[in-house]
Amino acid sequence: MKNYAIRRILQMIPVLFGISVLIFVVMKLIPGDVISGILGVESTPELRAQLIAKYGLDKPYVVQYFNWVFGVLRGDFGESIRTSAPILPEILSRFKVTAELTILAAVISWIIALPLGIAAAVKRNSALDRFVRVFALIGVSVPGFALSILLILVLSLAFHYFPPLGYVGFFEDPLRNLQIMILPAAILGVTIAGSVMRMTRSSVLEVLRQDFVKTVRAKGASERVTIFRHVLRNALIPIVTLVGMQIGSLLGGAVIIEQIFSLPGLGQMTLTGINQRDYPVVQGCVLFIAFVYVIVNLITDLLYAYIDPRISYD
Amino acid sequence: MKKANKWLSLILVGILLIGVLAGCGDSSGTTTPATATPTESAAPASGGILRFGTDSEPTSFDPHTCSEEASLRVIHQLYETLVCYNSDMTITGQLAESWEIPDETTYIFHLRQGVKFHSGREMTADDVVYTFDRILGKTDAGDIGALGSKASYYGGIASITAEDTYTVKITLAEPNAAFLSSLTKTYGAIVDKDVVEANGDLSRADGGTGPFTLQEWLPDNYVTLTKFSDYWDAGRVKLDGITYYLIGDEAARLAALRTGEIDIANLSATNVTAAEAESNLKVISYQSNTYIALGCNLSTAALQDKNVRQAIDYAIDRQALINVVFDGKAVPCSMVPPAMGHWSLDVTDMDLYQYNLEKAQQLMQDAGYSDDNRLTLKVAAGLMDSIRQTAVVLQQQLAKIYIDLEITNLESAEYVDAWGKMSTPDAGFDMMIVSDGAGEDPNRSIAFFFGTGAAANVFGFSNARVDELCALGIATTDTAAREQYYNEAQEICIDDCTKICIASPTLYFVTSDKVSGFEPFASDISNFRDTSIAG
């Protein structure tokens, strides 16, 4: 297991290197540049040249790339061209918001999806099952932004409610923090619950059909023991895979939800960076997101061995 | 019973898990600076905290290098200029109590005494000299890329000296009638030398004399300002502070206004109708000095024909466009929109502003176009809703004169990039819809956007007479003579149709009915000195 983990971590190096090259090239290829954005109508060739030199954008691309990569290796992601703020501390502080949102959304989705998915499988073709299938379909099909705007409108018109403004960290004011986070987290949770519910239902159904379930029942185990101890455990692998992927992409920032609810998360930071062509910010964010994604994948893979002792990485 | 207990404990574990996991997310460092929590819920002691729902994120608070709307909103509270505009477009003293103009190139400003910077130090003539030295790149920091350093603003300053503690003498290299007007810009805000030197720049520092001080900035979330107790006109300022909350989505801004989470926000015309229906909201409108225009890339052969450009102008039904794009809340205008008062040319009766389809079709036919030989033009849009919608309306209107518009909506960085190339084939577009700010002085509206080779003259318009008129207009302070020069220049630019000015929108703030004393006008939309909030 340890060797496997080390091997996987080493494999991250070429992956992250590839991503760093890709994002650098893409940022150079897309039209528009940060200097035009900063200067706007005030742009003159002299001012442009001056800013280009200031940010080292006049150097050959290869030099720019390696300057950046060596900086990153030393833990220096550079400074934002727009705000002159150092990037890594900003990413880390944004990541806290995104991580909290992700965890809350994931937990909410499990609370909704796992019990309902299992129940739907156990009571197949019942009214509950049909409800679950419809709910799952809605969850999968309705985009988060539509649900967000709808909820904001309904809550403000019918209940005169709007989530509190001005982000505060969980440890500063837990209650206020949860008030701010709960609505976006619930919306994200509901939208991802759909696919988890579907996966749970079909995975549990599949396991229920296997012979060992008959054996377990024949031994006189109660239905609860059968489902939770034997069936669910065997059904978990595909669910964990799906959840791992969802968490990975949510940690990259739920861009639209963060924007609608004005959460200072990683997605919002990346989006602002892209719109302003703030190269170092976008490069830093994408690299960080890729890193998190790879780590989440690794954790998911390692979890398999715990869930199913038959899987061994040695 | 046993079963119920199990479920109960499961739920409890779930709730605990949420708490713990949520906590984990926060454990790797501090999120907000120590001063934290915007005082949104705190009961206002006297004037209260004004909560402003802003649509975009500021990037810097350095008045000399920053021109974005979201940043300017804050900079206007932190900094002040020597002179400023009244709502009737006359200039009045701000940090300067009075001034003399002994000859056309000499300006002597008598500074207000006892004005304190936010650091507590008194502002003197040395700070004014330092400010313009900084803008003109004459300090140790060298050229900081100050936006006001161009000739049209302060570049024409030949010398600036402190005559005594409270008197500053500015000598210009040549007469510049727009000089006082440019001093009203935040690009010329008077800054605290010590603060600049201690921080390197002002992007995150506060070196101003304004009524509010910068307290905290959580990027992509909020900026809090508190009242400056030593402000020179403190008796006038009623608010205890202002908090700017970023709410990018307009529907969310309206919802937040409705529920009282914010006190004021800017909304577009399309949402104003919904706000008007709410009993607890007030709509405040003002005529902007921006306008929407359709610019022609003169490197496109078909558009080099002035008749084709004029045909396009005749084929634009401005009122129909205004009804769709601005919900009827805009006025047809020249490049000097009506908000600029007497400088603006009345276009209502001008021939090119009358929708005339027959004439437009005739001009196009004369140029060789017909239903069988249609002209296809690529038009760049994007950036703002009004620009995108204008493109769609024009597409329909110009289809009647054998022109097929192919619209591309660009996102902001791409748009700005194409904008800079609009006089060359490199732009990749034959036309572009733009939204331009005309400024306060006609020199800005015309010389800056239509002068040969001028910075914002991206469509490559060039007319010797217009250049001559602009030179005459800037060289005299005789208002009547200037008005005559600029009127003639407007007429030439309108007739040429390289940049077809369409309409100048009315803009809106929506406030809660508790807010009073806020009266924005085009040159000053962020003045909260007289604003207060009831209980």
Side-chain angles (χ1 to χ4, degrees):
Chain A
M1 176 79 113
K2 207 159 92 189
N3 286 339
Y4 174 77
I6 292 170
R7 214 166 54 239
R8 281 289 303 269
I9 288 170
L10 287 178
Q11 278 171 7
M12 280 168 58
I13 295 170
V15 170
L16 291 177
F17 175 74
I19 288 168
S20 72
V21 173
L22 201 65
I23 182 62
F24 185 84
V25 172
V26 167
M27 283 309 288
K28 296 293 173 195
L29 283 182
I30 46 176
D33 71 85
V34 63
I35 308 294
S36 315
I38 291 175
L39 294 174
V41 295
E42 310 293 343
S43 178
T44 62
E46 297 78 44
L47 271 180
R48 267 192 78 83
Q50 191 189 334
L51 286 183
I52 285 172
K54 182 174 168 190
Y55 297 116
L57 299 174
D58 51 347
K59 300 199 180 90
Y61 286 161
V62 179
V63 176
Q64 286 184 41
Y65 173 77
F66 281 106
N67 280 346
W68 172 57
V69 167
F70 287 135
V72 168
L73 290 177
R74 290 194 307 269
D76 173 14
F77 277 53
E79 283 183 356
S80 157
I81 293 182
R82 296 288 288 212
T83 65
S84 315
I87 292 166
L88 188 59
E90 183 74 24
I91 288 182
L92 292 177
S93 110
R94 301 299 191 100
F95 182 64
K96 277 179 261 169
V97 180
T98 299
E100 185 189 343
L101 182 66
T102 301
I103 292 168
L104 281 176
V107 171
I108 289 171
S109 78
W110 300 335
I111 291 173
I112 300 171
L114 291 179
L116 285 176
I118 295 167
V122 173
K123 299 190 188 312
R124 200 178 165 200
N125 289 332
S126 64
L128 178 74
D129 183 25
R130 279 194 290 276
F131 165 76
V132 165
R133 275 186 279 170
V134 170
F135 182 90
L137 192 66
I138 293 172
V140 175
S141 345
V142 177
F145 73 88
L147 202 58
S148 305
I149 299 282
L150 193 71
L151 261 182
I152 282 180
L153 281 180
V154 169
L155 289 177
S156 77
L157 283 171
F159 301 100
H160 214 67
Y161 176 81
F162 192 84
L165 293 165
Y167 181 79
V168 281
F170 183 79
F171 285 112
E172 284 166 60
D173 189 343
L175 189 67
R176 193 177 157 86
N177 172 275
L178 287 179
Q179 279 179 343
I180 293 170
M181 300 299 272
I182 202 70
L183 198 57
I187 290 167
L188 273 182
V190 168
T191 51
I192 60 175
S195 47
V196 179
M197 208 184 278
R198 282 181 143 190
M199 184 59 85
T200 308
R201 182 180 172 274
S202 63
S203 183
V204 169
L205 265 180
E206 201 171 300
V207 177
L208 275 174
R209 286 198 201 101
Q210 289 178 21
D211 290 341
F212 82 90
V213 178
K214 280 184 198 144
T215 316
V216 170
R217 284 186 173 139
K219 278 166 67 185
S222 71
E223 190 62 15
R224 206 177 66 232
V225 170
T226 312
I227 299 296
F228 287 100
R229 188 171 299 167
H230 298 280
V231 175
L232 186 59
R233 184 135 193 200
N234 279 285
L236 266 182
I237 294 283
I239 302 171
V240 168
T241 310
L242 178 70
V243 166
M245 277 161 58
Q246 281 176 339
I247 289 183
S249 54
L250 282 183
L251 284 176
V255 178
I256 293 171
I257 301 280
E258 282 180 9
Q259 211 206 349
I260 292 176
F261 289 94
S262 310
L263 297 175
L266 200 53
Q268 177 99 288
M269 180 179 178
T270 315
L271 183 68
T272 311
I274 292 172
N275 280 335
Q276 301 178 336
R277 295 289 187 272
D278 197 337
Y279 305 118
V281 167
V282 180
Q283 287 166 197
C285 287
V286 172
L287 199 63
F288 183 82
I289 291 166
F291 176 75
V292 169
Y293 202 95
V294 175
I295 292 283
V296 170
N297 262 327
L298 176 63
I299 294 172
T300 314
D301 284 355
L302 295 180
L303 268 181
Y304 290 162
Y306 283 102
I307 295 166
D308 189 344
R310 286 168 302 181
I311 297 176
S312 160
Y313 292 120
D314 292 322
Chain B
M1 188 64 199
K2 203 177 156 194
K3 207 170 179 178
N5 277 342
K6 278 250 172 170
W7 276 110
L8 191 67
S9 54
L10 251 179
I11 292 169
L12 280 175
V13 167
I15 292 171
L16 264 178
L17 200 67
I18 296 177
V20 170
L21 291 178
C24 288
D26 243 282
S27 60
S28 53
T30 56
T31 308
T32 47
T35 40
T37 327
T39 38
E40 173 266 322
S41 52
S46 54
I49 307 276
L50 183 78
R51 298 159 305 167
F52 192 119
T54 172
D55 53 355
S56 53
E57 168 72 359
T59 54
S60 152
F61 301 129
D62 192 326
H64 296 161
T65 56
C66 202
S67 65
E68 292 138 295
E69 177 100 22
S71 297
L72 288 181
R73 266 185 205 133
V74 177
I75 287 171
H76 270 291
Q77 317 305 332
L78 306 179
Y79 292 90
E80 291 177 312
T81 45
L82 288 175
V83 292
C84 65
Y85 270 106
N86 282 325
S87 58
D88 62 0
M89 295 302 286
T90 54
I91 290 176
T92 182
Q94 195 167 53
L95 290 177
E97 206 158 30
S98 63
W99 63 92
E100 303 155 39
I101 311 177
D103 60 67
E104 285 195 322
T105 55
T106 309
Y107 291 73
I108 297 170
F109 293 94
H110 301 286
L111 302 182
R112 207 174 283 285
Q113 299 188 14
V115 173
K116 296 269 178 65
F117 281 116
H118 296 158
S119 62
R121 186 170 68 76
E122 190 185 10
M123 179 207 66
T124 65
D126 286 338
D127 293 297
V128 178
V129 173
Y130 174 78
T131 292
F132 288 97
D133 280 349
R134 179 176 192 248
I135 293 168
L136 298 172
K138 291 177 185 164
T139 62
D140 293 341
D143 190 343
I144 56 161
L147 297 166
S149 66
K150 287 199 305 281
S152 59
Y153 286 112
Y154 320 119
I157 294 179
S159 75
I160 171 163
T161 48
E163 300 288 287
D164 60 48
T165 318
Y166 301 110
T167 310
V168 178
K169 181 176 163 190
I170 298 179
T171 312
L172 302 182
E174 51 190 48
N176 178 355
F179 184 64
L180 269 185
S181 166
S182 46
L183 286 178
T184 65
K185 291 274 176 193
T186 48
Y187 303 156
I190 307 305
V191 300
D192 185 335
K193 179 183 176 183
D194 301 341
V195 175
V196 179
E197 287 178 348
N199 292 279
D201 64 37
L202 292 168
S203 60
R204 297 189 159 226
D206 172 3
T209 58
F212 297 94
T213 63
L214 181 62
Q215 191 192 350
E216 196 200 355
W217 177 20
L218 180 65
D220 274 340
N221 207 251
Y222 61 80
V223 179
T224 51
L225 309 180
T226 45
K227 182 178 179 173
F228 177 43
S229 51
D230 276 344
Y231 181 57
W232 59 269
D233 199 5
R236 185 178 163 196
V237 181
K238 296 173 188 72
L239 293 173
D240 292 327
I242 305 174
T243 302
Y244 293 88
Y245 291 106
L246 173 67
I247 309 179
D249 188 82
E250 185 153 324
R253 276 206 300 288
L254 178 58
L257 275 167
R258 211 177 254 147
T259 59
E261 277 299 313
I262 54 174
D263 305 305
I264 180 167
N266 50 324
L267 291 185
S268 65
T270 39
N271 271 312
V272 161
T273 320
E276 277 166 347
E278 300 285 331
S279 60
N280 62 338
L281 298 180
K282 276 193 302 194
V283 173
I284 299 174
S285 69
Y286 65 96
Q287 196 55 44
S288 74
N289 56 7
T290 62
Y291 60 92
I292 291 270
L294 173 68
C296 299
N297 186 335
L298 295 180
S299 71
T300 299
L303 293 175
Q304 285 164 1
D305 184 348
K306 184 172 155 187
N307 287 334
V308 171
R309 301 200 300 270
Q310 287 197 337
I312 292 172
D313 201 340
Y314 283 121
I316 296 175
D317 183 348
R318 286 180 170 76
Q319 197 51 52
L321 185 141
I322 287 169
N323 290 344
V324 174
V325 179
F326 300 103
D327 220 14
K329 291 149 182 161
V331 285
C333 66
S334 72
M335 57 290 303
V336 183
M340 292 175 66
H342 64 94
W343 299 116
S344 176
L345 196 64
D346 184 5
V347 295
T348 39
D349 294 327
M350 287 183 77
D351 190 36
L352 276 162
Y353 281 77
Q354 314 307 318
Y355 173 57
N356 190 339
L357 190 58
E358 292 80 41
K359 188 162 182 178
Q361 282 173 336
Q362 190 57 51
L363 283 167
M364 286 299 281
Q365 284 162 8
D366 294 346
Y369 298 100
S370 64
D371 263 330
D372 303 322
N373 179 28
R374 296 178 68 85
L375 174 61
T376 302
L377 294 171
K378 287 187 192 151
V379 60
L383 209 64
M384 296 155 57
D385 283 347
S386 54
I387 289 182
R388 280 191 285 272
Q389 290 167 10
T390 298
V392 176
V393 174
L394 289 180
Q395 188 179 43
Q396 290 171 4
Q397 296 188 348
L398 299 187
K400 294 175 191 154
I401 58 162
Y402 326 118
I403 293 177
D404 295 316
L405 286 189
E406 286 178 3
I407 303 169
T408 308
N409 285 318
L410 305 173
E411 47 88 37
S412 57
E414 249 183 313
Y415 179 92
V416 173
D417 195 56
W419 179 82
K421 299 174 183 159
M422 275 311 289
S423 61
T424 67
D426 288 348
F429 294 99
D430 306 306
M431 297 177 127
M432 180 177 239
I433 318 253
V434 293
S435 171
D436 286 331
E440 286 79 25
D441 191 276
N443 179 57
R444 169 84 176 182
S445 332
I446 300 172
F448 186 60
F449 287 98
F450 291 87
T452 303
N457 183 1
V458 289
F459 299 105
F461 172 84
S462 179
N463 182 294
R465 179 66 184 154
V466 170
D467 293 342
E468 187 187 346
L469 288 164
C470 287
L472 289 168
I474 197 72
T476 174
T477 44
D478 178 349
T479 307
R482 296 189 76 207
E483 206 174 300
Q484 217 175 352
Y485 297 139
Y486 290 120
N487 279 351
E488 187 186 339
Q490 285 178 70
E491 278 166 9
I492 297 171
C493 297
I494 289 170
D495 179 70
D496 184 82
C497 287
T498 295
K499 184 170 155 191
I500 301 168
C501 301
I502 300 174
S504 172
T506 308
L507 298 183
Y508 298 89
F509 281 104
V510 175
T511 73
S512 103
D513 56 2
K514 292 176 185 158
V515 175
S516 58
F518 176 57
E519 284 162 14
F521 54 96
S523 321
D524 194 0
I525 58 167
S526 274
N527 188 343
F528 295 113
R529 283 174 183 75
D530 298 313
T531 306
S532 61
I533 304 177

